[in-house]
Amino acid sequence: MKNKPTVIDLFCGCGGLSYGFIEAGYDVLLGIDHWKDAIVTFENTHKNAKGIVADLFKETPQEISKKTGIKNIDVIIGGPPCQGFSIAGKRIIDDERNQLYKSFVSFVDFYKPKAFVMENVPNIVSMGKGIVKDSIIEDFEKLGYSVIYKVMLASEFGVPQNRRRAFFVGTKNNKEFVFPEPITKNPLSAKDAISDLPEKSLTDGTKYKTEPKSDYQKLIRGKSDGIYNHEITNHSEQTTSIISLVPDGGNYKNLPEELRKTRNVNIAWTRLNSKKPSFTIDTGHRHHFHYKYNRVPTVRESARIQSFPDTFIFLGSKTSQYKQVGNAVPPILGN
Ligand SMILES: C[S@@+](CC[C@H](N)C(=O)[O-])C[C@H]1O[C@@H](n2cnc3c(N)ncnc32)[C@H](O)[C@@H]1O
């Protein structure tokens, strides 16, 4: 136990990324986010970790270190939200839009961990024709780190979802890091992930009524004593009748012409495809529907698609739970 590398998760949300680290044998000590609900879920699911609600626009690593008593750390992980980057010449500059990224850099500078993992949206590597990516690498190289990056596709690593995230990994003292190769060419499907969950709502803690229907379901149930966060959304009669016209894996193009424009976004009226990995789970916009039932996936179904184990229980309002799930890095990808 004593030799597990220690971790701080910045902008931790509910802690999808750091949960993956726990499963991989790390000791997550601390998560920081300015979002109270997410921190409540984080603390409840990361038993050894402390979660603190703090605005990383304002709080410095010095203040956090003083507050928590954490003076040394082996690994810093996190995904600073990026609202685009402001660049001048070939550099990311110090303005408000870049401050959360700069905050991540300042934590690495302060703690000088053995390694860091910074994740972000996949197009960060092409922003500003690559200047953003080059500038990120340079910022960390200045602190003495060797940095490599890769855009990873979750479905190639045992997650039933085609989510892409960019990862920058830095190591000190020229220690080499190699990104893992994809583990499968036959990705898991939405059906593999959720076919054992019923059409109707369940009270939290309801026992499983069936055996797992796939190896993935067996894995994800783990030691859970039942099903949580499976409360369905009741749609209007109009919504239910429109979505009933869309087949498994279909979308608005399957609707009669006059109904196609009932929602003004391209992604509207999309159903999961039972035979394929899910598209990227969002934060609860209610445009993506179950492959079979005439409703959006529940929080638990979304969590399954994100590879959260059934023991990982989301707290807060249902809207907040959807957001926590949708924002997260799939734990199995983090792992
Ligand atoms: C993409 S989510 C992180 C998800 C997380 N890595 C996971 O795997 O579950 C980004 C997080 O940054 C947090 N955040 C945004 N602005 C912040 C700020 N100024 N200070 C602290 N946290 C902030 C959000 O509340 C959100 O939880």
Side-chain angles (χ1 to χ4, degrees), residues 9 11-17 33-35 54-57 79 81 100 119 165 327-329:
D9 187 2
F11 309 97
C12 61
C14 67
L17 180 61
D33 202 291
H34 67 171
W35 180 18
D55 183 352
L56 290 166
F57 258 129
L100 294 177
E119 62 87 18
R165 296 301 286 178
N327 264 342
V329 174

Side-chain angles (χ1 to χ4, degrees), residues 9-20 32-36 38-39 42 46 52-59 77-83 99-100 103 119-121 163 165 306 308 312 314 323-331:
D9 187 2
L10 301 174
F11 309 97
C12 61
C14 67
L17 180 61
S18 47
Y19 197 82
I32 307 173
D33 202 291
H34 67 171
W35 180 18
K36 175 114 198 316
I39 287 293
F42 176 90
H46 294 56
I52 52 179
V53 180
D55 183 352
L56 290 166
F57 258 129
K58 297 192 193 117
E59 299 227 17
I77 64 174
C82 117
Q83 303 119 3
Q99 220 170 312
L100 294 177
S103 155
E119 62 87 18
N120 223 289
V121 291
R163 175 180 288 242
R165 296 301 286 178
Q306 278 276 55
F308 281 99
F312 197 109
F314 295 88
K323 199 168 151 202
Q324 293 172 42
V325 176
N327 264 342
V329 174

Side-chain angles (χ1 to χ4, degrees), residues 302-319:
S302 307
R304 286 275 189 94
I305 287 166
Q306 278 276 55
S307 78
F308 281 99
D310 284 3
T311 47
F312 197 109
I313 297 167
F314 295 88
L315 302 172
S317 68
K318 200 164 88 170
T319 310

Side-chain angles (χ1 to χ4, degrees), residues 51 76 203:
I76 293 182
T203 323

